[in-house]
Amino acid sequence: MIYLDNAATTPLDKDVLNAMTPYLTTCFGNPSSQHRYGRAAANAVQGARDEIAAILGVKADELYFTSGGTESGNTALKGVCLANADKGRHLIVSAMEHPALIESAKDMIKQGFEVTFLNPDERGLISAQAVESAIRPDTTFVAVMAANNEVGTIQPISEIYSVCKEKGVFLYCDCVQIAGVLPFELFPADGVGFSAHKFYGPKGFGGLYMRGNGRFTRLISGGGQERGLRGGTTFTAGAVGCARALSNAVAEMEQNNKKITALRDRFIKLVCEQIDGVHINGDMVNRLPANANISFDGCDGEQILFALDLQGIAVSTGSACSSGAVKASHVLLAMGLGEDRAKSAVRFTFGKYNTQDEVDETVEVLSKAVKKIREN
Ligand code: PLP
């Protein structure tokens, strides 16, 4: 098996599992309980919060634990828009955001808010000027992701944040794809979301940073956890695993990025040499080390995905399948690449466990698959 879908999820590291195991077995207390079982769990949760906050360079009480990137995005967008509805009911969401943000924005339209979906340029980049021009007097919220999950393009968040700060508008930055890959300092924002399963941590656990405990309406009411803003018994092992995985990822960042960039660049070079009619989607400079998103003329991305899967190689397409019909990726369409190019795209995302032999084998299988699809 060759796994080249590391942007979708990564395997749980053994070291992370070992750190989590006591909190799934012997140290099983509810962190809200006042007895010793509870206190032990609460200490572990606090330790994890402190560790993650230090890595983000924020205060521990500005950090809310969530079930992952989707919940963090929903909470930031809906929570901030609802809490500030008296100031204005307009929001700006980049058109290449993850569905967590796009769908949340659509939910707000149903509640009487107006949304501007901001298209990137054809390289997959959103400029600070574009954000500035879209801001209106009644804008309260902007969402631009740090890096895109499909094409891997990295946005100029510092510049976008300067614009938002000057205009007094809240900026949410979905950092799910850069957490553990690039330093958080490069992506200053009022709200930041991340998810543990993207950096070799557990699925179903993540966090939301809200600068200065920014004003937001909670989405999940409950027993007062997360300072009353996100109810539900805290997943102690998740918090411990997330902290361990993030701290490992930060420690290994340079070495992993070097290795992953070399694998990705070799892959792109070989694909371009051995297969004609290919197009790399997204800017090659402002791009995550792991990402290669490639369109193959005359092919359907899904056909390539299934042909590779038959040979034990896991990749993905950005397209969504709803009621049996394959829809082209909203990200590639927003970049203005057209239906055909969008539908023929395949995403290959490399991880720290991939090898050069896997890259070479994938290119060999891919060349044959593309040839066969084009012949049919
Ligand atoms: N945001 C981005 C950019 C993502 O890539 C993902 C996951 O694919 C999410 C949000 C959702 O994260 P989660 O799976 O933790 O809900």
Side-chain angles (χ1 to χ4, degrees):
M1 279 295 294
I2 300 178
Y3 185 75
L4 297 181
D5 200 14
N6 289 277
T9 195
T10 52
L12 185 74
D13 266 343
K14 271 219 171 70
D15 171 60
V16 177
L17 176 64
N18 290 340
M20 293 171 70
T21 301
Y23 300 99
L24 294 164
T25 52
T26 47
C27 191
F28 58 84
N30 184 327
S32 299
S33 300
Q34 286 172 312
H35 45 64
R36 66 189 63 198
Y37 289 87
R39 288 198 303 275
N43 282 341
V45 171
Q46 189 56 44
R49 199 186 303 279
D50 290 343
E51 195 173 348
I52 296 169
I55 292 171
L56 265 75
V58 305
K59 295 194 201 104
D61 68 0
E62 293 174 314
L63 187 60
Y64 301 87
F65 285 148
T66 68
S67 62
T70 302
E71 186 189 326
S72 296
N74 269 260
T75 305
L77 187 149
K78 295 175 184 172
V80 170
C81 288
L82 291 172
N84 293 288
D86 53 333
K87 293 197 204 130
R89 297 174 78 85
H90 175 246
L91 54 149
I92 299 166
V93 176
S94 104
M96 65 193 305
E97 293 300 296
H98 185 272
L101 278 298
I102 302 270
E103 294 303 315
S104 292
K106 290 183 187 163
D107 289 347
M108 298 312 286
I109 294 174
K110 288 185 207 133
Q111 300 212 30
F113 286 76
E114 264 186 86
V115 181
T116 299
F117 289 104
L118 203 57
N119 279 338
D121 64 19
E122 64 178 16
R123 294 166 301 162
L125 298 173
I126 309 257
S127 72
Q129 290 90 316
V131 173
E132 186 165 19
S133 318
I135 293 177
R136 311 189 320 203
D138 59 342
T139 308
T140 58
F141 179 93
V142 171
V144 179
M145 68 205 315
N148 180 263
N149 44 307
E150 291 187 33
V151 289
T153 50
I154 299 168
Q155 306 303 337
I157 296 298
S158 279
E159 291 167 31
I160 293 172
Y161 188 45
S162 296
V163 166
C164 290
K165 251 198 323 202
E166 199 188 306
K167 303 269 183 186
V169 176
F170 185 101
L171 174 67
Y172 177 71
C173 184
D174 177 335
C175 282
V176 168
Q177 291 289 335
I178 64 95
V181 176
L182 295 170
F184 282 103
E185 306 90 86
L186 300 178
F187 305 96
D190 299 305
V192 162
F194 57 91
S195 176
H197 73 100
K198 305 289 182 176
F199 45 84
Y200 306 90
K203 289 166 188 54
F205 195 89
L208 171 65
Y209 154 70
M210 291 296 240
R211 189 180 294 276
N213 298 309
R215 206 172 139 215
F216 70 100
T217 301
R218 69 179 175 211
L219 302 192
I220 304 179
S221 308
Q225 291 90 350
E226 299 302 305
R227 300 172 301 290
L229 288 165
R230 198 272 187 181
T233 300
T234 308
F235 179 20
T236 311
V240 169
C242 180
R244 176 62 67 90
L246 189 58
S247 123
N248 288 348
V250 168
E252 299 165 359
M253 191 181 279
E254 212 180 307
Q255 142 201 350
N256 286 344
N257 284 346
K258 203 167 149 206
K259 175 186 170 177
I260 291 167
T261 305
L263 291 175
R264 190 269 317 267
D265 289 349
R266 179 182 178 88
F267 177 75
I268 290 181
K269 181 172 166 283
L270 292 177
V271 167
C272 292
E273 280 170 9
Q274 297 182 21
I275 309 174
D276 52 17
V278 298
H279 310 271
I280 313 296
N281 300 317
D283 191 66
M284 271 313 291
V285 178
N286 302 294
R287 189 185 195 103
L288 291 172
N291 180 289
N293 186 303
I294 308 177
S295 290
F296 298 84
D297 286 348
C299 296
D300 203 292
E302 298 280 314
Q303 289 174 301
I304 296 178
L305 183 153
F306 292 125
L308 295 188
D309 188 39
L310 279 175
Q311 304 295 319
I313 301 172
V315 299
S316 99
T317 66
S319 51
C321 186
S322 64
S323 54
V326 177
K327 280 204 242 155
S329 143
H330 74 283
V331 172
L332 299 177
L333 291 181
M335 287 162 61
L337 298 187
E339 281 277 323
D340 285 350
R341 182 146 159 197
K343 280 194 174 165
S344 68
V346 180
R347 179 186 74 177
F348 306 84
T349 45
F350 300 86
K352 64 179 180 177
Y353 295 119
N354 290 125
T355 64
Q356 192 171 303
D357 285 349
E358 290 181 335
V359 167
D360 296 357
E361 190 182 330
T362 302
V363 177
E364 209 183 305
V365 173
L366 180 64
S367 312
K368 287 187 194 142
V370 170
K371 192 161 174 263
K372 203 164 160 200
I373 292 166
R374 284 178 179 162
E375 280 166 4
N376 284 334

